[in-house]
């Protein structure tokens, strides 16, 4: 078991290949200190992000989801992040109804040169997630629990 | 109004494959979808508070054929949205509209009777303008129409067909929709809401009636819920999978749902699944000033964008 068990939260980050992933890389190259709770998933464009990625991550036990793409008007594919902005905003409206704190999900824009901004975003978001209790978890179906119990013996 | 509508249907019938409307159902309390092909079949047509189903759900299957359809106000919005999205061609559908004064909610009638309604239990039924008398095994029970009317009808903005080729009757005044049901739900805390859905969704039997009754769920055999590529949902009987399907449905209907309420009505275990779509509808109205199914010329908000979005308040970091 990791020494960080109980101290870390599970945060999933969806980052666009062209800006935010580069920005996170810049932050790393610049050796900016960042929290280590974030697990990054690289996607081609923020327009690739299906709102269901976020919902599935949150229902699957993630404590937070961070989405980051190119700044509006700076999309590598010209308009991917414009569509993403609308979808993500709609998704943010749906979460509170289900009983998922909307603070668990944020989206923002970080360019490849903004290493410091990336550090700031990750630090702030991680702080925000740590202020919340661990994500509520659905019990597994009885069949799966029984199977898991068999496997454990 | 029945006879006038039947007249309008008979007038349209020679030009179309069939006219979709409502016909006699399994018992006097229920109507069923009805496909009229011959003039003599029109005699059995039913309209009024029992015309509950949304006939627009059948329209996309008839693409390429010309069909007629009888619609309430809410059903007509589904048709308009189908036309706006290119699922149905305007020239292939003949719309017959009428002013709707609300439909009944069978669950509310069952609650008034104090028992579940089994097929064959209700022997006869009579309807006046504001009363409904149900005969169950020779005992008559009269109830106020206001008590058994479907919830969606209380906030119906469009009782008349939004678009129609034939309109029968005098148009009715619409009401305003202030999303009072959502406001009432939102009085629950975040944790209470989670607990609420965990309990409600545990009853779900994954029959997908909510999907099949939805006039804008048009993927049919290619629905992601039953696909293994992509494999969004597994077969486990867990509340999480059941709730996740509802969230798939809601996100797929974001900015498209016209609020016909068929998903909630079709649910055999009475889960208020319409709340998910209502939330998205309210968000689309607030963010993009868009109301689905009111204008076939507009583009649904998530299929387009604006370079500046003054209504979207992004977080300042």
């Amino acid at each position: 078991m990791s020494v960080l068990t109980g101290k870390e939260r599970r945060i999933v980050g969806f980052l666009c290949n062209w800006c935010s992933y580069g920005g996170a890389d810049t932050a790393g190259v610049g050796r900016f200190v960042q929290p280590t709770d974030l697990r990054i998933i690289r996607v081609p464009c923020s327009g690739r992000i299906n709102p269901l990625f976020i919902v599935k991550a949150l229902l699957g036990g993630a404590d937070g989801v961070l989405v980051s793409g190119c700044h509006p008007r700076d999309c590598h594919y010209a308009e991917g992040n414009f569509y993403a902005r609308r979808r993500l905003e709609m998704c943010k409206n749906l979460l509170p109804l289900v009983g998922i704190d909307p603070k668990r999900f944020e989206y923002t824009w970080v360019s490849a040169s903004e290493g410091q901004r990336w550090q700031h975003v990750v630090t702030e978001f991680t702080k925000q997630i740590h202020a919340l209790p661990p994500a509520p978890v659905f019990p597994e179906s009885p069949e799966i629990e029984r199977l898991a119990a068999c496997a454990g013996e | 109004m029945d006879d006038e509508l039947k007249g309008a249907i008979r007038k349209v019938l020679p030009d179309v494959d069939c006219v979709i409307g409502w016909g006699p159902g399994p018992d006097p309390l229920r109507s069923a979808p009805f496909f009229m092909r011959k003039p003599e079949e029109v005699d059995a047509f039913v309209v009024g508070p029992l015309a509950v189903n949304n006939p627009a759900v059948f329209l996309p299957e008839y693409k390429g054929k010309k069909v007629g359809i009888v619609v309430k106000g809410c059903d007509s919005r589904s048709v308009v949205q189908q036309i706006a999205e290119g699922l149905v061609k305007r020239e292939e559908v003949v719309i017959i509209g009428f002013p709707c004064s609300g439909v009944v909610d069978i669950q509310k009638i069952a609650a008034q009777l104090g028992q579940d309604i089994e097929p064959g239990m209700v022997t006869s039924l009579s309807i006046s303008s504001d009363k409904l008398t149900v005969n169950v095994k020779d005992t008559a029970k009269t109830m106020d129409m206001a008590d058994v009317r479907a919830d969606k009808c209380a906030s119906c903005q469009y009782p008349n067909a939004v678009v129609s080729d034939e309109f029968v009757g005098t148009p009715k005044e619409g009401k305003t929709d202030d999303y009072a049901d959502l406001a009432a739900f939102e009085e629950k805390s975040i944790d209470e809401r989670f607990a609420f859905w965990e309990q409600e969704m545990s009853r779900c039997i994954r029959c997908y009636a909510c999907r099949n009754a939805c006039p804008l769920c048009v993927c049919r055999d290619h629905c992601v819920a039953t696909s293994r590529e992509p494999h969004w949902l597994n077969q486990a009987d867990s509340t999480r999978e059941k709730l996740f399907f509802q969230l798939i449905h809601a996100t797929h209907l974001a900015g498209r749902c016209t609020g016909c309420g068929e998903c909630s009505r079709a649910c055999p275990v009475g889960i208020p699944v319409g709340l998910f779509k209502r939330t998205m509808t309210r968000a689309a109205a607030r963010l993009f000033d868009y109301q689905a199914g009111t204008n076939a010329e507009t583009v649904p908000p998530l299929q387009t964008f604006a370079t500046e979005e003054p209504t979207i308040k992004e977080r300042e970091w």
Side-chain angles (χ1 to χ4, degrees), chain B residues 104-121:
Chain B
V104 297
D105 182 338
I106 299 286
Q107 300 303 329
K108 286 190 184 172
I109 295 178
Q112 292 265 326
L113 291 173
Q115 56 186 319
D116 286 342
I117 300 168
E118 304 290 341
M121 203 177 88

Side-chain angles (χ1 to χ4, degrees), chain B residues 154-171:
Chain B
S155 58
C156 174
Q157 293 169 276
Y158 300 92
N160 315 301
V162 181
V163 175
S164 57
D165 299 299
E166 305 273 340
F167 192 85
V168 175
T170 17

Side-chain angles (χ1 to χ4, degrees), chain B residues 192-223:
Chain B
E192 282 168 355
R193 293 179 207 173
F194 189 84
F196 173 83
W197 288 117
E198 199 179 342
Q199 223 220 315
E200 288 289 303
M201 293 313 299
S202 66
R203 292 207 307 276
C204 171
I205 53 172
R206 285 176 84 168
C207 65
Y208 295 125
C210 45
R211 174 192 73 182
N212 297 345
C214 177
L216 289 161
C217 258
V218 287
C219 302
R220 299 293 159 190
D221 292 347
H222 307 280
C223 177

